[in-house]
Amino acid sequence: MKLTISKLIEEARAFCKNESAINHEQLVGITDGKAVGTYIEHRFKEYLKNKYEVTIGSSAKGVDLPDDNINTDIKVTSATKPQSSSPFKNFEQQIYGLGYNLLIFVYKKNDINEKCYLGFKHCIFLESEKSGDYGLTKVLRKMIELGANETDIIEILKDKNFPNDYQSLKTLAKKIISNPPKQGYLTISNAFQWRLQYNQIIKLKDEIDGVYTNTNYNEKELEDYQTPLSITEEICAYLKNNLKINPTVIIEPTCGIGNFLRSASKVFESKELYGIEIDAEKINAVDRSIPNLNLINEDIFKFKFDMINENESYLIIGNPPRKNNTNFINNLHGKTNCFNMSEQIILKIIEIFKNTKTTIAFLCKTTVARNIFKRLIKNKIPYNFIKQLTFNFSKISKMNKNSCLLIIQLGEKQLPNNICEVSEFSNPDKILHKICFEYDSNSNNDKLIDIDGKCEIDWKLGVKHDCAKIMELTCKNNQLMNNLDEKVNIETILLYPLLKGGDLKKPLINETSKYIIITQKKIKQDTTYIKTKAPKTWEYLNNNKTYFDNRKSKMYKRTPAFSISDIGDYAFKKYKVGISGFNKEPNFTLVYNEKPVMLDNSCYYLSFDDFDEAYITLLILNSQLVKKFLKNIAFLDSKRPFSKAILKRINIGKCLKILSFADLKKIEKELNLNDYIMPKKFLKYKNKYCKTND
């Protein structure tokens, strides 16, 4: 049978699937990417020769499959840095393509227990006419669409260092205008041999026909990292020695290469061990000498758990993949409302085993652990105890540093106080803090006074622009400098004082050497007014337009040039009481200036027109009453412990029913502030926020 392009694409896909499932022992320990590439290329050529009539080209000729109807070169590259080199004849190939098709294999090599697996992440067939340079062809096509002339095209070619004389460039420009190139998908850098980079083609693979993408678990994409044996052994020992867990059956969902199973078999005397794993590569690497081991190559979301026996005591243990990727999970498992794979797996396990004698011990992100705890409370699922042990895993593995060991012992009773104790894994007896849901002053062990509710003033996030290099300026020796260390000469009309989260260290701040350009007073406001109102600023922004165009956030799509976010009338009020969302201590700062001070998006704030109102709010928020409340409802190990959702629960009216004028005077003194607050001002404030019918 003669090989065709359609058959070539079909066979390349089949080859990827077949090769991903077998052990390539010849490659164990091989780190030379060229050697791996040659190995894969030779195997694919042999694969084709055994099934089709096909000419295999020589290296001297440069094209691996030179038949006229195929005309395809094979490229093999690692997923870590997807690129290769290619000989070239002339620079025109950057515009109209290399002159031959490309078949690109992108692989991830994994050496596991003296075995080697090649996970093919992508297999892309790229037609010859689409093999030009992505950036250059995109610019040329856009210019032609806008009516560019020969001179315009020549300038672009010169800018791209095309090494031709003027007449040759003019001839090429005419050709480009009369015969516009197809959109290219390679990134081509000039060298003795062109360096072809494939990141762009992988990113835009949905636009290209003949693409195969492997949906097997990928460590980097799914954050599916194998837990080191040193950790799995410590965890199993802790469960047995500290918590006296003695399971008869152990199950590791998404078991990977089975490190938890290995450690559990040594620590516990269990009748049965089960490892469930969708990835055949990993399950093939599990140590088969583990006693009483049952391995199941299946999707955890589809597995039925038919082995459950109410007379057994279970330990469900593991480190599930944890990527926040809704589309991937929905496509792969048909699930909805799932924002983290590990969270969905743990919830599934809880639902299945909630009426059995089961201990669950999972490594996961701290945010996932809190969501699981919240779900237990909301759904009134009985449990005997719940613990969260923090552990900076990034020191010894690739896992997120904000990870923890979540331990839940399901049972017949529901704890009355809805509290999860948080400790360090290295010192589990020392309680760092407690997580409390459905705050209730009557049941809280710490006997907190209830100020939970809804804040009477709206908390706002600081201004967001995602362009700090250009938008944020510093005054040095009476000269404005941007974050590129360039001098900036613009009008002051759109320039505002700026404070960032790290600057909020004192209770009162009214000076700053930082400034920010504020282009809008409300979301999506037309910014062309800047051209006449502040022409120097307009010129500066346009000179740096590339930085704005490269912003990744979708919020700037279809918005006016130089748009910002989280802006409104509230941002231009003179007085603000703010806090850094990243702080571990809830310390609040009152900021003000003749011109409104802007806070960046690491901060949350309340805004005021009246200094006295802002000042009294500052004192209330810095009271021990509020601080203790916040530290008990916030997640102190989060990236942003004091989020808007946390802050808006502070009910000022409730605080005023507890805090007296004398209390505020004491706080004023503790903050080393001048003697300012007076009874009349306090009474006016209290009448506004403390309603007598509450």
Side-chain angles (χ1 to χ4, degrees):
M1 184 188 300
K2 196 171 181 65
L3 185 66
T4 64
I5 289 293
S6 61
K7 285 292 183 185
L8 175 64
I9 294 170
E10 183 182 321
E11 294 295 351
R13 292 172 175 172
F15 174 80
C16 287
K17 291 179 181 178
N18 295 338
E19 296 294 302
S20 292
I22 64 175
N23 172 25
H24 299 271
E25 57 185 0
Q26 305 95 316
L27 297 180
V28 174
I30 300 296
T31 57
D32 181 4
K34 188 174 181 180
V36 176
T38 301
Y39 170 86
I40 294 171
E41 185 179 319
H42 285 172
R43 284 183 67 86
F44 183 62
K45 288 177 180 178
E46 286 299 315
Y47 177 86
L48 292 177
K49 281 172 64 177
N50 291 334
K51 299 184 72 173
Y52 297 93
E53 294 176 20
V54 59
T55 303
I56 303 297
S58 63
S59 300
K61 190 167 182 178
V63 178
D64 294 303
L65 305 172
D67 287 342
D68 291 340
N69 67 318
I70 302 297
N71 189 29
T72 300
D73 198 37
I74 300 169
K75 298 292 185 183
V76 182
T77 180
S78 167
T80 306
K81 193 175 183 181
Q83 66 177 28
S84 68
S85 60
S86 175
F88 67 98
K89 296 177 181 178
N90 60 69
F91 283 81
E92 194 172 320
Q93 288 175 284
Q94 290 192 49
I95 301 171
Y96 290 105
L98 300 173
Y100 47 84
N101 307 314
L102 290 179
L103 181 63
I104 306 164
F105 294 104
V106 184
Y107 69 89
K108 174 72 179 292
K109 180 176 179 288
N110 289 309
D111 286 1
I112 306 171
N113 294 346
E114 301 304 316
K115 295 180 181 180
C116 175
Y117 295 96
L118 296 172
F120 284 88
K121 305 308 171 190
H122 307 284
C123 176
I124 302 170
F125 181 82
L126 189 67
E127 296 171 344
S128 173
E129 61 184 4
K130 296 180 181 179
S131 62
D133 181 79
Y134 174 78
L136 178 57
T137 55
K138 186 175 183 179
V139 169
L140 291 174
R141 286 166 59 85
K142 187 66 175 177
M143 290 180 67
I144 294 167
E145 181 185 328
L146 296 173
N149 57 31
E150 290 176 14
T151 303
D152 298 327
I153 300 296
I154 289 171
E155 289 303 313
I156 288 295
L157 297 178
K158 284 182 177 179
D159 187 54
K160 296 295 183 179
N161 298 317
F162 268 56
N164 289 324
D165 56 71
Y166 180 79
Q167 190 57 46
S168 299
L169 291 175
K170 185 175 181 180
T171 301
L172 180 55
K174 284 183 178 180
K175 180 179 178 180
I176 291 169
I177 292 172
S178 61
N179 182 26
K182 298 285 186 182
Q183 175 61 58
Y185 289 91
L186 298 179
T187 301
I188 303 175
S189 56
N190 299 348
F192 180 69
Q193 285 194 326
W194 273 343
R195 179 66 61 184
L196 308 180
Q197 297 178 12
Y198 303 117
N199 282 318
Q200 198 66 250
I201 195 174
I202 292 170
K203 178 181 176 183
L204 301 171
K205 61 183 180 296
D206 292 339
E207 299 180 13
I208 302 164
D209 294 330
V211 174
Y212 161 75
T213 300
N214 186 1
T215 57
N216 282 348
Y217 289 167
N218 173 301
E219 282 191 357
K220 187 174 181 180
E221 291 173 355
L222 299 182
E223 297 183 14
D224 180 17
Y225 301 121
Q226 302 306 301
T227 316
L229 280 169
S230 58
I231 295 178
T232 60
E233 289 171 0
E234 280 191 71
I235 290 172
C236 289
Y238 170 79
L239 293 173
K240 181 178 181 180
N241 299 330
N242 293 56
L243 301 183
K244 309 304 179 185
I245 305 298
N246 187 27
T248 56
V249 178
I250 296 170
I251 302 173
E252 184 181 1
T254 64
C255 67
I257 62 174
N259 284 350
F260 270 108
L261 294 172
R262 287 180 63 186
S263 298
S265 69
K266 296 176 182 177
V267 173
F268 302 106
E269 297 178 0
S270 302
K271 297 188 298 184
E272 296 286 344
L273 291 93
Y274 292 88
I276 306 164
E277 174 60 54
I278 192 175
D279 192 336
E281 292 179 23
K282 293 187 176 74
I283 205 164
N284 286 337
V286 176
D287 184 359
R288 295 305 201 277
S289 67
I290 297 173
N292 307 316
L293 178 63
N294 302 276
L295 292 176
I296 302 161
N297 185 196
E298 192 171 335
D299 183 345
I300 188 62
F301 290 105
K302 297 176 182 177
F303 187 63
K304 301 298 184 184
F305 288 94
D306 295 330
M307 82 287 279
I308 295 179
N309 184 333
E310 63 180 13
N311 295 320
E312 305 288 359
S313 63
Y314 292 92
L315 170 61
I316 319 292
I317 192 169
N319 177 18
R322 49 186 66 191
K323 183 65 174 181
N324 293 321
N325 189 330
T326 309
N327 290 335
F328 177 88
I329 300 168
N330 289 346
N331 291 339
L332 190 60
H333 305 296
K335 300 291 176 183
T336 58
N337 300 321
C338 174
F339 299 98
N340 185 290
M341 184 178 283
S342 64
E343 183 175 329
Q344 192 71 12
I345 290 170
I346 298 170
L347 289 173
K348 176 183 173 70
I349 295 298
I350 290 173
E351 181 62 28
I352 291 171
F353 287 87
K354 63 184 179 182
N355 295 318
T356 64
K357 294 179 287 186
T358 298
T359 301
I360 294 170
F362 279 114
L363 293 172
C364 61
K365 290 183 178 180
T366 52
T367 51
V368 170
R370 289 189 289 270
N371 289 342
I372 297 296
F373 178 42
K374 191 173 185 179
R375 190 69 69 91
L376 285 175
I377 303 302
K378 181 179 179 180
N379 295 344
K380 298 181 180 179
I381 296 174
Y383 61 92
N384 293 327
F385 66 77
I386 180 168
K387 294 179 180 292
Q388 182 180 317
L389 303 177
T390 62
F391 197 149
N392 189 350
F393 292 101
S394 62
K395 294 180 179 179
I396 48 181
S397 75
K398 300 176 184 177
M399 290 163 57
N400 186 291
K401 67 179 181 180
N402 290 322
S403 294
C404 70
L405 176 63
L406 174 66
I407 306 172
I408 306 169
Q409 189 175 82
L410 300 173
E412 297 177 355
K413 63 180 181 179
Q414 176 79 30
L415 287 184
N417 52 21
N418 296 346
I419 288 175
C420 174
E421 294 180 345
V422 180
S423 309
E424 285 185 0
F425 187 80
S426 58
N427 187 9
D429 294 329
K430 181 181 178 181
I431 307 301
L432 298 177
H433 62 275
K434 298 175 183 179
I435 300 172
C436 175
F437 283 111
E438 295 188 357
Y439 182 86
D440 182 351
S441 61
N442 294 321
S443 64
N444 191 308
N445 283 350
D446 288 341
K447 297 181 181 178
L448 296 175
I449 299 174
D450 181 14
I451 58 170
D452 200 356
K454 182 179 179 181
C455 189
E456 295 86 343
I457 315 167
D458 285 339
W459 283 93
K460 299 295 184 181
L461 178 66
V463 66
K464 181 177 174 65
H465 51 71
D466 293 315
C467 209
K469 291 181 179 179
I470 304 305
M471 296 287 274
E472 296 179 9
L473 310 175
T474 306
C475 187
K476 298 177 181 177
N477 300 321
N478 294 320
Q479 172 65 57
L480 287 175
M481 307 288 292
N482 64 20
N483 286 347
L484 297 172
D485 208 28
E486 298 170 339
K487 292 182 179 180
V488 178
N489 181 23
I490 60 174
E491 301 88 350
T492 60
I493 189 169
L494 302 183
L495 209 58
Y496 290 81
L498 172 69
L499 287 170
K500 302 168 84 70
D503 300 324
L504 304 184
K505 297 176 180 178
K506 298 188 296 184
L508 287 180
I509 299 178
N510 60 1
E511 292 182 352
T512 176
S513 61
K514 298 174 185 174
Y515 297 89
I516 183 172
I517 301 170
I518 298 296
T519 57
Q520 296 167 305
K521 289 202 170 183
K522 60 182 179 180
I523 300 295
K524 295 187 178 180
Q525 178 188 355
D526 183 13
T527 55
T528 54
Y529 78 92
I530 301 173
K531 189 173 183 178
T532 54
K533 197 167 187 178
K536 290 181 181 179
T537 304
W538 182 253
E539 181 182 9
Y540 170 74
L541 294 172
N542 276 282
N543 288 342
N544 293 283
K545 193 171 185 298
T546 304
Y547 290 96
F548 294 92
D549 293 342
N550 289 337
R551 294 185 294 186
K552 295 180 180 180
S553 177
K554 292 181 180 179
M555 71 174 67
Y556 304 115
K557 303 299 181 185
R558 299 190 182 92
T559 58
F562 319 119
S563 286
I564 58 180
S565 184
D566 294 291
I567 197 73
D569 293 341
Y570 53 85
F572 296 91
K573 291 190 176 184
K574 188 171 181 179
Y575 307 102
K576 297 181 177 75
V577 176
I579 182 175
S580 169
F582 297 108
N583 278 0
K584 302 302 180 185
E585 286 290 329
N587 296 319
F588 296 85
T589 299
L590 170 55
V591 302
Y592 61 98
N593 195 282
E594 284 304 311
K595 200 168 186 180
V597 178
M598 297 294 161
L599 299 176
D600 80 343
N601 70 321
S602 68
C603 306
Y604 300 94
Y605 66 91
L606 303 173
S607 54
F608 304 86
D609 292 316
D610 180 72
F611 177 82
D612 291 349
E613 194 172 332
Y615 186 84
I616 295 172
T617 304
L618 170 76
L619 299 180
I620 292 170
L621 294 179
N622 278 310
S623 68
Q624 288 303 312
L625 171 72
V626 172
K627 288 189 175 188
K628 192 171 184 180
F629 169 71
L630 288 176
K631 290 172 77 171
N632 272 271
I633 66 169
F635 308 134
L636 299 179
D637 50 354
S638 296
K639 186 177 181 180
R640 287 181 183 249
F642 302 109
S643 64
K644 182 177 178 179
I646 293 294
L647 295 167
K648 70 181 185 181
R649 290 175 61 179
I650 306 168
N651 185 274
I652 293 175
K654 289 184 177 181
C655 293
L656 288 168
K657 290 182 177 180
I658 300 164
L659 296 171
S660 65
F661 175 76
D663 292 326
L664 295 192
K665 292 298 292 183
K666 183 179 178 182
I667 296 166
E668 189 177 46
K669 187 175 181 180
E670 289 171 349
L671 295 175
N672 294 317
L673 297 174
N674 293 332
D675 188 6
Y676 179 78
I677 186 174
M678 303 298 290
K680 187 175 180 180
K681 295 175 181 178
F682 176 65
L683 183 60
K684 180 182 177 182
Y685 184 95
K686 190 169 184 178
N687 288 337
K688 180 174 182 178
Y689 290 106
C690 188
K691 296 180 173 57
T692 56
N693 59 351
D694 282 348

